[in-house]
Amino acid sequence: MNTNTKTAGPTIRPYVIPTSVDATDAGDFLAMVDVRNRIYREISGADDEFMTASELLPNFWADEYTKRHFLIVELDGVVVGRVGVDLPLEGDSHVAFWSIELIEDVWGQGIGTAAYDVVEQIACDAGRTSLQSWAEHPASDAPRLEPPTGFGYVPKDHIARFYLRHGYSLEQVERKSLFDLQGDLSAVDRIGREARVAASAYEVVQWMLPTPAEFVAGYCLMKERMVTDAPSADMEFDEESWDEARLRKMESRILDGERTQLVTAARHRVTGELCAFNELNIPLDHTLTTHQNDTLVLSDHRGHRLGALVKSAGILRLREIAPDSPRIITWNAEENRPMLSINEELGFYPAAHIGAWKKVVA
Ligand SMILES: CC(C)(COP(=O)(O)OP(=O)(O)OC[C@H]1O[C@@H](n2cnc3c(N)ncnc32)[C@H](O)[C@@H]1OP(=O)(O)O)[C@@H](O)C(=O)NCCC(=O)NCCS
């Protein structure tokens, strides 16, 4: 037997989160970022989710809202994947969110299973009983697997089989969508005009982070409601409590990460209340894809085209701020028909199926 070609098992170990990407101990982090970008390109066939190490780094810094575990997976001394486990610190949270991402070359050798044992150990040691995870399932001819919501499906591919083998069930399907920012925006303009008529009791207000003082309370309220008001099927989320300190921390993560964010909100003219919002997260390198993060219309204010109002105003302003950004990427629950209808009308098109998977452990 030629021992030179013998492959040892994988090493799955925590790594240092550096204070800067130039720090002497940043090597593992930089290798993790390269592997992350490679895996996302392999799965999606595109670089819409590419992020630089500088953009990602602030998202890895500790805070008081989530206990986070980060590990890398090495094979023969080479980084081939990464693992993350998030343990929210809200009240007596019993949920854990995790991901395992490996380069395609090493799939099917039991490495994912070895990493999953570590994930489940971390979650169980922390007393978490509801383990949840999301994955993009590339289009394939595999048979379809449908969630109990009855909306959408994922192919029963290698990734789905991995979850099923480890006791997970598919709870929800999200749609990843893209919008071509270099195309004709006349439909967006028209939808915006129609929405302004239907929503005449509301006005559009927009700001770039950091949020001006007058909008802080309203923005915090809407961020809290994002968890409770967006459709989440049987996925479990803790209620969140947002105050100015938490909002400023979120803003620092974005701004320190060499990105910025346009927030477009609808304000009720009579009460001054913020009732709907849309976030467009923009890289400083304007040739990269913009990410649409949260969009929500507070439940009391639905039915006035406020979703179309804030989304159309956001896209039109984005084109002025970052005219070279090629696309917007966004994710929505397949059962969220009102939101998907607005997106489709604006010109978003489906790009991938995202499975939301859950396992309840004793
Ligand atoms: C999903 C993912 C983590 C699975 O990792 P993996 O290392 O391929 O998984 P495993 O090898 O442990 O198990 C997969 C298959 O290999 C088989 N296998 C396990 N050990 C094996 C071994 N020693 N030799 C050959 N095959 C083996 C398993 O039986 C399983 O077979 P199945 O597909 O018929 O069920 C990996 O495909 C990946 O990173 N995908 C992209 C990111 C992603 O979707 N992550 C999902 C969680 S966020």
Side-chain angles (χ1 to χ4, degrees), residues 75-90:
L75 204 55
D76 297 334
V78 177
V79 179
V80 295
R82 64 178 199 150
V83 177
V85 186
D86 277 8
L87 305 171
L89 299 175
E90 313 282 343

Side-chain angles (χ1 to χ4, degrees), residues 31-321:
M32 180 282 295
V33 173
D34 283 346
V35 149
R36 170 204 183 268
N37 288 329
R38 172 175 167 182
I39 293 167
Y40 286 20
R41 191 184 310 121
E42 284 179 347
I43 293 172
S44 69
D47 278 324
D48 290 306
E49 286 160 79
F50 173 89
M51 286 179 83
T52 64
S54 304
E55 287 179 307
L56 282 165
L57 182 56
N59 295 299
F60 287 71
W61 287 335
D63 68 29
E64 62 270 49
Y65 307 109
T66 312
K67 168 80 180 143
R68 309 188 72 191
H69 294 260
F70 300 113
L71 305 105
I72 45 176
V73 182
E74 285 175 324
L75 204 55
D76 297 334
V78 177
V79 179
V80 295
R82 64 178 199 150
V83 177
V85 186
D86 277 8
L87 305 171
L89 299 175
E90 313 282 343
D92 58 351
S93 177
H94 59 276
V95 302
F97 301 104
W98 62 268
S99 66
I100 300 170
E101 295 168 344
L102 305 173
I103 58 169
E104 216 168 327
D105 283 352
V106 305
W107 290 11
Q109 303 173 25
I111 300 175
T113 297
Y116 182 73
D117 290 345
V118 176
V119 164
E120 198 164 301
Q121 192 66 51
I122 291 172
C124 291
D125 285 351
R128 306 301 165 113
T129 49
S130 182
L131 281 44
Q132 304 177 84
S133 174
W134 286 262
E136 176 167 334
H137 299 259
S140 86
D141 296 334
R144 294 179 176 191
L145 196 62
E146 292 178 2
T149 60
F151 291 88
Y153 68 91
V154 299
K156 196 173 171 190
D157 56 10
H158 179 84
I159 297 165
R161 287 199 308 275
F162 179 81
Y163 281 112
L164 294 169
R165 177 179 283 267
H166 292 288
Y168 281 73
S169 51
L170 179 68
E171 296 296 339
Q172 188 181 32
V173 174
E174 294 189 1
R175 181 188 299 188
K176 177 168 111 179
S177 304
L178 293 170
F179 178 89
D180 177 10
L181 270 170
Q182 297 302 312
D184 175 21
L185 294 191
S186 55
V188 179
D189 194 43
R190 174 184 53 77
I191 291 162
R193 276 186 278 113
E194 289 167 3
R196 282 198 296 280
V197 173
S200 59
Y202 303 82
E203 62 187 339
V204 169
V205 289
Q206 286 182 306
W207 64 89
M208 303 297 291
L209 301 190
T211 301
E214 64 174 308
F215 300 129
V216 166
Y219 193 16
C220 283
L221 180 96
M222 293 190 295
K223 293 296 279 184
E224 276 183 7
R225 297 280 285 275
M226 191 69 210
V227 182
T228 53
D229 289 14
S232 53
D234 263 348
M235 297 298 274
E236 288 180 60
F237 297 92
D238 303 311
E239 288 193 15
E240 293 177 355
S241 167
W242 281 72
D243 57 10
E244 178 162 8
R246 187 168 188 163
L247 186 68
R248 296 298 180 207
K249 198 149 278 182
M250 178 203 82
E251 295 183 338
S252 307
R253 280 182 192 283
I254 295 169
L255 298 170
D256 293 347
E258 299 181 356
R259 295 176 82 91
T260 185
Q261 191 154 288
L262 168 67
V263 185
T264 303
R267 178 162 63 182
H268 192 241
R269 291 181 195 274
V270 173
T271 62
E273 188 191 352
L274 297 184
C275 309
F277 78 116
N278 165 254
E279 297 170 335
L280 290 171
N281 187 278
I282 309 163
L284 289 196
D285 176 350
H286 286 173
T287 63
L288 298 177
T289 299
T290 295
H291 288 214
Q292 180 166 266
N293 288 350
D294 291 351
T295 301
L296 183 72
V297 179
L298 297 188
S299 40
D300 296 350
H301 295 270
R302 292 189 180 159
H304 304 287
R305 303 234 67 199
L306 294 186
L309 184 75
V310 294
K311 284 199 174 200
S312 57
I315 293 170
L316 294 173
R317 181 80 187 102
L318 174 65
R319 175 99 132 210
E320 293 168 4
I321 297 168

